[in-house]
Amino acid sequence: MRRNLRAVCAVVLGILSTQAATMAATFDIIGQDFVGGVQFINGSLRPSIGEDGKVVFAASKLPAGEQSFFVGDGSNPLSSATYSLSGYDNVGVVKIDSSGTVSFVATRNATPMDFRGVYRTDTSGSAYSTVFEVENVFGPPLMPDPQSRLAVSANGTLAFSNIVNGEGALYTAPQAGTATVLRQGSGTFFNNLPFDVNDSGAVAIQMEYTDPNNGLSRGILIFDTPGEGLATIETTIERVGVGNQPKLAINNLGQVAFILDFTATINYFDPPLPNGGTPNGSQIITPGVYMSTPSAFGTPFAFTKIADTSGAFNAFNEIRLNDDGTIVLEASVEISPGNFETGIYTGGDPIADELVRTGKTININGEDNFFSIIRLGDLNNQDQLTFQTSDFLTTDQRVWRVNNVPEPTSMMLLLAAATTYLSRRKA
């Protein structure tokens, strides 16, 4: 997770120098119900985008309704991988990388038992391969099934987990490579929810763990070396109640952006390990969206608030982060007393940073659009993102790609986050 000072400064200065040249956001329709061989888009699976701008989404296929992954670049006809004809169903998540590899979690139908696993295919579905799977036997399972969560980095590094109650493991796999265990579940590392991965294979994961000073706790833990324990990992937030479940994203600078729903008070001790020590200060973090700099376990970390709920924002649902420091939020806003809508935002101002929102007519490419549902997909390092919409007027569902996503309103915020990162070194 360490980064060279010159390289990071070059990234920041490059961003600063191109701020004035930032182009206006543009929108492409990648997929739509009953267009290009698509029957009905699967709105429960968020669309994903690779570094080359290709977008993958799940949908049934015309004319017979076979379940498929569709991939589009906004210019050429959609390609499709019809996974239901290859023995897969109950897909939980799908991702795409810049090589055109489509990774997904699904059930593989077999005899005499089915399997639940992580699989790969190409954009045409010409071949399928298994990254990891668990046989669904009668009686107690041999190990937990993989979660319906995948993370993929810019260079195609894949992360997934099957940790349940201390059983299973967190895995990473290089692009087109085999999976290896990054962190085994244990009595210390107990359960997890969201996670993200960067090109170096560092995984930021929201996890329940046993804290030497606080018992069962939750934190955002950073694993970048197989088998690491508390003594050698970094964290972004730690020692909070298990009901506090922050969402997160990590970039290649090692910065972590996260959403905190409830106030957290983190108490520190000297020494922090092995069994705690003398109280040594605390940090109080209020609900909101943060850009943060991880630090060694048991030590304070640096953070900058991006947004909170003191104004029109009511809640933050999803967060994405790229190497430019661009943060994208799916959030709900109160547009009038008791009237809430969902939108996608690129900063902490619910008006100036609004990209799209439900409940209003938005003119895109000369066409009026009214969205009743908006679901954020992924953000890449080319400042492109994808999202899925539907409306209650035509019942059409669409998958969109946004190009030239606006960078943060205040570039000084990014500069501060990057420079505080430079001052920290892993113990």
Side-chain angles (χ1 to χ4, degrees):
M1 289 188 57
R2 298 173 181 171
R3 289 292 181 268
N4 179 271
L5 174 64
R6 184 178 301 169
V8 176
C9 286
V11 170
V12 175
L13 291 174
I15 295 168
L16 290 171
S17 67
T18 58
Q19 181 187 16
T22 299
M23 300 171 60
T26 62
F27 293 73
D28 297 318
I29 299 173
I30 302 298
Q32 182 174 337
D33 287 351
F34 298 101
V35 175
V38 175
Q39 187 182 58
F40 292 109
I41 292 170
N42 185 342
S44 66
L45 300 181
R46 297 177 185 266
S48 175
I49 189 168
E51 286 299 296
D52 58 357
K54 289 182 180 177
V55 175
V56 65
F57 62 95
S60 55
K61 187 176 183 180
L62 290 172
E66 303 97 334
Q67 298 303 305
S68 304
F69 300 126
F70 286 86
V71 177
D73 60 9
S75 300
N76 298 301
L78 294 169
S79 61
S80 61
T82 307
Y83 61 82
S84 61
L85 296 183
S86 297
Y88 299 88
D89 62 20
N90 296 320
V91 172
V93 62
V94 61
K95 298 287 185 180
I96 190 170
D97 65 30
S98 58
S99 73
T101 299
V102 175
S103 301
F104 61 101
V105 174
T107 297
R108 182 171 69 87
N109 301 307
T111 302
M113 298 293 178
D114 293 341
F115 294 80
R116 187 71 177 172
V118 179
Y119 305 97
R120 288 177 172 137
T121 188
D122 56 26
T123 57
S124 64
S126 63
Y128 289 80
S129 61
T130 298
V131 180
F132 172 88
E133 65 181 6
V134 177
E135 187 175 14
N136 294 158
V137 299
F138 293 116
L142 301 176
M143 66 176 72
D145 286 347
Q147 301 168 4
S148 291
R149 297 184 180 92
L150 289 176
V152 63
S153 74
N155 69 359
T157 300
L158 187 68
F160 61 93
S161 172
N162 72 329
I163 295 177
V164 177
N165 296 333
E167 299 292 329
L170 171 66
Y171 297 83
T172 57
Q175 191 176 70
T178 58
T180 58
V181 173
L182 182 60
R183 175 63 254 179
Q184 195 76 33
S186 66
T188 299
F189 302 107
F190 204 61
N191 284 310
N192 75 267
L193 287 172
F195 51 84
D196 198 12
V197 64
N198 66 18
D199 285 350
S200 68
V203 175
I205 184 167
Q206 185 222 105
M207 179 171 276
E208 289 179 354
Y209 73 99
T210 303
D211 190 280
N213 298 286
N214 199 54
L216 186 62
S217 302
R218 193 180 297 277
I220 297 176
L221 314 183
I222 316 296
F223 296 102
D224 58 11
T225 302
E228 282 186 298
L230 293 180
T232 56
I233 66 169
E234 295 174 332
T235 69
T236 288
I237 191 170
E238 62 187 67
R239 207 168 293 142
V240 302
V242 295
N244 214 338
Q245 299 179 356
K247 294 183 174 66
L248 59 94
I250 189 172
N251 66 13
N252 286 320
L253 299 180
Q255 298 165 329
V256 176
F258 67 93
I259 298 168
L260 189 68
D261 293 326
F262 306 104
T263 297
T265 300
I266 308 173
N267 296 310
Y268 296 102
F269 299 84
D270 184 20
L273 289 168
N275 296 311
T278 304
N280 189 32
S282 63
Q283 285 179 298
I284 298 176
I285 307 175
T286 56
V289 178
Y290 294 88
M291 176 79 89
S292 66
T293 302
S295 64
F297 176 83
T299 63
F301 66 97
F303 60 91
T304 303
K305 181 180 284 188
I306 307 298
D308 60 28
T309 55
S310 61
F313 283 125
N314 177 64
F316 303 101
N317 308 318
E318 295 289 336
I319 188 167
R320 307 291 184 262
L321 171 68
N322 72 11
D323 291 349
D324 288 346
T326 302
I327 291 178
V328 177
L329 303 168
E330 180 188 295
S332 64
V333 292
E334 187 172 28
I335 61 172
S336 62
N339 184 12
F340 301 94
E341 299 288 352
T342 298
I344 295 175
Y345 301 87
T346 59
D349 188 322
I351 297 176
D353 295 325
E354 178 187 291
L355 199 60
V356 291
R357 178 171 69 74
T358 62
K360 65 186 289 188
T361 299
I362 304 172
N363 189 276
I364 301 175
N365 299 334
E367 177 189 50
D368 285 341
N369 292 268
F370 183 91
F371 302 134
S372 300
I373 296 173
I374 292 176
R375 299 181 182 90
L376 176 62
D378 289 335
L379 171 71
N380 68 16
N381 287 320
Q382 313 309 313
D383 287 328
Q384 296 174 302
L385 69 84
T386 186
F387 64 95
Q388 184 264 335
T389 64
S390 63
D391 66 75
F392 296 149
L393 299 179
T394 67
T395 70
D396 280 346
Q397 299 179 98
R398 287 177 169 176
V399 171
W400 301 79
R401 182 182 63 202
V402 183
N403 312 294
N404 307 316
V405 174
E407 293 169 356
T409 303
S410 172
M411 297 308 294
M412 290 306 295
L413 180 148
L414 173 62
L415 182 60
T419 53
T420 53
Y421 174 80
L422 295 173
S423 66
R424 187 261 308 162
R425 289 292 182 267
K426 187 172 180 179

